[in-house]
Amino acid sequence: MRQTIALLLLLCTCVSAQLKAQHQDITFSAELSKPRMLVNSTVEYRLVLRNAQGTDLQAPDFKNFIVLRGPSRSMGTTIINGVGSSHLTHTWLLQPKREGELSIGVATIRAAGRTYRANSKKIQVLAVDAGAAALAPPDFLRAELSTDTAFVGQQIILNLNLYSTTNVISRNLMQEPDFDGFYAQPRRQYDGRPRTVIENGREYQRRTLGSLALFPTKSGRIRIDPYRMVLGTVSYRNNSSFSRRFTEQIPLNTDTMYVYVQELPQPRPDDFAGGVGSYRLQVQADRDQMTTDDALTLRITVTGEGDVERIDEFPPVSEKDWDIYDPEILQEEFLDSPTGMLGRKIFEYKVVPKRSGVYNLSPGLTYFNVDSARYVTDAPSTFKITVTGGSGQPTYDIDTSQVVEESLSLMAVSSLPAGRQYGMSATESPLYWIVFLLPLLLAGGAIGWQRYQDHLDNRDPVELAKQRAAKAATERLKAAKTHLAKVEPRPFYDAVEGAVFGYLRDKFHLPVAELSRRNVAEKLRGAGALPELTARYDKLLKRCEMALYAGQDSADDLADTYREARELITDTERAID
């Protein structure tokens, strides 16, 4: 009897847990297309049921709005990393009746035997400033900086944003700044989705077209020249009998911007490693007991939001107790992230104790923190190392040899060579004429070289970049080959994508903000490439995107991806002049 009761309880528990897990996957929520709007504008209100088929939908009371359209119903399925989900969406198009903070009430729906409630929503409705709206342009381009005051080496994010109220069908970036005074890194992980914003009494769709991480390399007032773009929009011209649709070309440009950069404060700490930003340190020691015959290996990983190339080697331990040898740089790379560029640099030090004893080691990195505007030291780990006396025979292999300069010594007087005698005239020597004519020959060679350089400088830089595109791409692929050998999927795919995009940018004179799979396909088709070549590019770039941004970075396809990238560049050079 007891066993039967226990089995029934267990069965009930399992069924309850299963039903609970199923209901946890079902969600019902309300969404608005914008958080703020003008009183003469419209907003989309959506009710989204996920992972279920719903019935008996009870929509909220839209008493503060005029319902212009709806409800319209749509269904769909998405698969991310092999996990599928479905959604059922009901949509209404609403126009507010008045200004102020307006509310939309709760909605309910029946699904899987239960009633689900969607949360209420609020939206801020603003009055229309007719005067300001009349003066505001229908479209404009703006370069926006995360800050316009910085220290040398501090990371600044620049986003190129397009604000539009018209139907944009094309964008052609005509000119980019040269960013003199900055080290620039293009970013890929930025939010390019359109968002509704209110500017100067008008509603705009704002879309980020490109993003850069800028690192100032000098102090002072640094100028950033404007971006220049030609926008293609759909317009209509009306007359008495009909309306004519046409494409209008609108030139846009950003304002000239200035960044005020100051030097790092003085005095700088003696152990300052050169980093500017915000960094974290990870330290690993290969042992905690050793003799004076051994070398301790310290692997130090520096990561953070800053230019890691500025970080120099630094003493990880006290030079009074240890001999410190030049470190090996195992890795130095930039990693893209939604918040900015992250840098990573890995040092491997070998240090040898000068005497026996017990040492508490706390390797630390001293850098300039831009948030607090002061020098800080990050020393996260402390290692207790016990050192005993050795036999005097080193167990490590480190090149400790030093170059010893030879002392100056007087040489004995030697006899003159054959054909020479004391009192002989200098003009009678062949060496005299060589020395005499050598400046003339060098001057002629310099003139010829200068003319050759002038010829190169006068060449069209676009054509020059096209001719050098394949060679530059081959150099970029060397980094991918290094990651391939180490079986490092994410850095490998990032290097391959960068090499391919760099090659296409040089080959077709594509600006950084226009580098995308869609634009690549259009450029290749316009250049007369076969559909098979265009499809191969799309497949390769899609594979890189899935590896970098969808987590599908399997190490099994690295060799095939590398080979395909090299063959694509070779085939493109053969197919397109």
Side-chain angles (χ1 to χ4, degrees), residues 179-379:
F179 298 110
D180 184 29
F182 295 94
Y183 170 58
Q185 276 281 344
R187 299 179 58 231
R188 300 187 187 94
Q189 293 196 46
Y190 59 87
D191 190 352
R193 295 173 298 176
R195 298 183 182 278
T196 302
V197 296
I198 299 175
E199 291 274 343
N200 301 321
R202 298 188 70 167
E203 283 193 8
Y204 292 90
Q205 287 287 315
R206 184 184 66 189
R207 183 188 295 271
T208 299
L209 305 181
S211 183
L212 294 171
L214 304 178
F215 300 89
T217 58
K218 62 181 181 181
S219 60
R221 184 171 177 256
I222 305 180
R223 169 180 170 141
I224 299 179
D225 291 327
Y227 285 87
R228 302 190 186 280
M229 174 180 289
V230 175
L231 207 64
T233 65
V234 175
S235 299
Y236 294 88
R237 185 179 291 118
N238 298 320
N239 59 23
S240 58
S241 58
F242 62 91
S243 176
R244 180 184 176 188
R245 180 179 183 269
F246 67 98
T247 301
E248 184 179 5
Q249 301 294 321
I250 303 174
L252 302 176
N253 61 271
T254 63
D255 295 331
T256 299
M257 298 184 298
Y258 295 90
V259 179
Y260 299 87
V261 183
Q262 54 184 314
E263 290 286 350
L264 300 182
Q266 297 287 349
R268 299 180 184 178
D270 294 336
D271 56 350
F272 175 54
V276 178
S278 177
Y279 296 94
R280 298 176 300 278
L281 211 63
Q282 292 180 336
V283 186
Q284 294 177 319
D286 68 337
R287 66 188 72 191
D288 57 6
Q289 294 186 356
M290 58 187 299
T291 70
T292 53
D293 297 332
D294 303 326
L296 177 67
T297 300
L298 295 174
R299 178 169 294 187
I300 301 178
T301 302
V302 181
T303 57
E305 295 184 354
D307 184 4
V308 292
E309 293 183 0
R310 298 176 61 91
I311 299 179
D312 298 324
E313 59 186 72
F314 53 93
V317 294
S318 171
E319 297 178 276
K320 179 181 67 174
D321 300 321
W322 300 79
D323 289 322
I324 306 172
Y325 296 93
D326 291 337
E328 180 183 357
I329 308 299
L330 301 182
Q331 191 177 51
E332 184 178 82
E333 63 179 351
F334 273 107
L335 304 172
D336 202 354
S337 78
T339 59
M341 297 299 293
L342 299 178
R344 178 164 61 198
K345 194 168 188 176
I346 301 178
F347 299 88
E348 187 170 89
Y349 286 89
K350 288 191 181 296
V351 297
V352 177
K354 295 181 178 180
R355 62 191 69 86
S356 59
V358 178
Y359 298 93
N360 291 317
L361 306 183
S362 297
L365 172 71
T366 299
Y367 65 92
F368 183 77
N369 186 284
V370 295
D371 295 328
S372 61
R374 61 187 182 91
Y375 297 96
V376 297
T377 300
D378 182 28

Side-chain angles (χ1 to χ4, degrees), residues 413-543:
V413 178
S414 58
S415 58
L416 291 174
R420 292 293 306 278
Q421 59 184 0
Y422 291 107
M424 186 177 180
S425 173
T427 57
E428 300 176 14
S429 170
L431 180 61
Y432 169 82
W433 291 105
I434 293 175
V435 174
F436 178 76
L437 295 175
L438 183 61
L440 299 177
L441 295 174
L442 291 176
I447 293 173
W449 176 256
Q450 184 61 45
R451 290 183 177 177
Y452 175 70
Q453 291 296 321
D454 292 341
H455 168 70
L456 293 181
D457 293 340
N458 291 329
R459 296 170 66 186
D460 186 354
V462 175
E463 292 299 323
L464 192 60
K466 289 182 180 179
Q467 296 174 12
R468 297 176 177 174
K471 183 178 180 181
T474 302
E475 290 297 319
R476 296 187 186 102
L477 279 174
K478 289 182 179 179
K481 190 173 184 180
T482 301
H483 296 304
L484 172 63
K486 296 180 180 179
V487 193
E488 298 172 336
R490 283 189 62 81
F492 168 79
Y493 282 108
D494 187 64
V496 169
E497 186 185 52
V500 173
F501 272 138
Y503 167 72
L504 296 170
R505 178 193 62 205
D506 296 339
K507 187 71 176 177
F508 299 108
H509 189 48
L510 278 172
V512 174
E514 296 291 329
L515 288 176
S516 67
R517 284 169 52 199
R518 179 180 178 183
N519 290 338
V520 166
E522 292 177 355
K523 284 291 183 180
L524 287 169
R525 284 193 293 268
L530 295 175
E532 184 267 340
L533 185 66
T534 304
R536 287 169 59 193
Y537 268 108
D538 187 72
K539 182 178 179 181
L540 177 65
L541 293 173
K542 183 178 180 180
R543 186 187 304 175

